[in-house]
Amino acid sequence: MAQALPGAHAVILVGTAGWSLPRDVQGAFAEGDSHLARYATRFPVAEINSSFHRPHQRSLYEKWAAAVPAHFRFCAKLPKTITHERRLVDCETLLGEFLAQAGGLGDKLACLLVQLPPSFAFDASVATPFLALLRARFAGALAMEPRHATWFEPEADGLLRELQIARVLADPVRHDAGRWPGGWTERIYLRLHGTPRVYYSSYEPELLRALSDRMRIAAREGAEVWCIFDNTASGAAAGNALDLQRLLEEGR
């Protein structure tokens, strides 16, 4: 579950991209009617990545919301039609369709994730109207994972901060400035894709321990901290998330 630390907003949320439960960790979860229901017996959040690849019926989102307890929260990834094909231009209709679908999660839709292609450089004339529209249409948390170096410079960082959008701290780190959270840092969103082999590599205990220490410091300073493991291709994500939860609990 969520780790609560001293402080008004000191909350740490750990989960994975999707809710796959590899056989070797299933014993850590209580019984449930589905993988998602079982997943939610240990983790308080999940990231929906499938929404990036294809649209889902609102009824499917409603089914997911019904499978988890009241405190559970989802982060849904914006469709690639918006971020990679239209590249944030003329997307109002597409965004409206996505929000209508994902709205089936109700108040369990806590966050939206915007991941940009590596070739997408910061252009204020494109980014500002889209992000302003997104902020106007969605009152919850927003996290952006840019991958071009220009998004780690002061102008882009200032725009994200103004609109209360957290810049994702992603591993592997592509640019030196990406070693620290950016944008609106009252919310920190970590996406751990696996190092050295992206989507496959498991994280070593020493790194997870250092990460837990860093997350506790950020939470004590008042940030809401999300940590999502995306090294799902080898099944490492759920085990790493469980290990990190244990480390956070030990350090309370």
Side-chain angles (χ1 to χ4, degrees):
M1 295 301 151
Q3 269 79 19
L5 299 172
H9 304 290
V11 174
I12 296 176
L13 303 166
V14 177
T16 69
W19 39 85
S20 176
L21 300 179
R23 189 181 301 275
D24 62 343
V25 300
Q26 287 185 11
F29 297 83
E31 293 301 314
D33 294 334
S34 64
H35 274 298
L36 175 56
R38 292 193 68 187
Y39 172 98
T41 66
R42 288 296 303 269
F43 296 128
V45 291
E47 193 179 86
I48 300 173
N49 276 196
S50 57
S51 54
F52 172 78
H53 298 285
R54 60 191 181 277
H56 298 311
Q57 294 292 326
R58 183 182 176 93
S59 59
L60 180 57
Y61 286 107
E62 292 171 346
K63 180 180 177 181
W64 288 339
V68 298
H71 69 269
F72 193 90
R73 296 294 179 262
F74 292 93
C75 178
K77 189 173 180 180
L78 261 64
K80 65 181 178 181
T81 51
I82 293 174
T83 56
H84 288 55
E85 296 173 16
R86 294 284 184 88
R87 297 172 77 90
L88 310 187
V89 176
D90 296 330
C91 294
E92 187 166 1
T93 299
L94 288 172
L95 180 61
E97 291 171 352
F98 168 69
L99 291 174
Q101 294 158 9
L105 294 171
D107 61 6
K108 292 171 184 171
L109 178 59
C111 184
L112 297 178
L113 171 67
V114 185
Q115 185 191 60
L116 299 180
S119 62
F120 197 137
F122 176 73
D123 179 343
S125 68
V126 172
T128 302
F130 175 79
L131 294 177
L133 171 66
L134 181 61
R135 173 44 76 204
R137 297 289 301 274
F138 184 72
L142 295 174
M144 173 166 263
E145 185 178 5
R147 292 181 282 180
H148 193 279
T150 53
W151 282 89
F152 297 83
E153 296 175 357
E155 184 181 3
D157 207 56
L159 174 62
L160 296 180
R161 189 165 54 251
E162 177 185 347
L163 294 173
Q164 297 189 355
I165 301 173
R167 192 187 71 221
V168 170
L169 196 168
D171 180 74
V173 174
R174 290 172 174 263
H175 309 287
D176 195 58
R179 296 181 184 279
W180 299 273
W184 196 63
T185 54
E186 290 187 35
R187 179 171 295 105
I188 295 173
Y189 199 104
L190 306 167
R191 297 192 82 219
L192 307 181
H193 300 297
T195 302
R197 189 181 181 195
V198 176
Y199 305 127
Y200 285 86
S201 293
S202 182
Y203 289 96
E204 296 297 324
E206 295 79 9
L207 189 146
L208 293 176
R209 186 170 295 280
L211 179 62
S212 69
D213 291 342
R214 187 172 174 183
M215 290 167 65
R216 279 197 299 271
I217 291 170
R220 289 193 182 104
E221 291 175 348
E224 179 183 280
V225 183
W226 291 57
C227 183
I228 300 294
F229 287 89
D230 189 32
N231 51 339
T232 54
S234 65
N240 281 165
L242 288 169
D243 289 342
L244 180 60
Q245 273 194 335
R246 283 191 285 267
L247 290 166
L248 289 164
E249 186 64 30
E250 290 171 5
R252 287 183 64 181

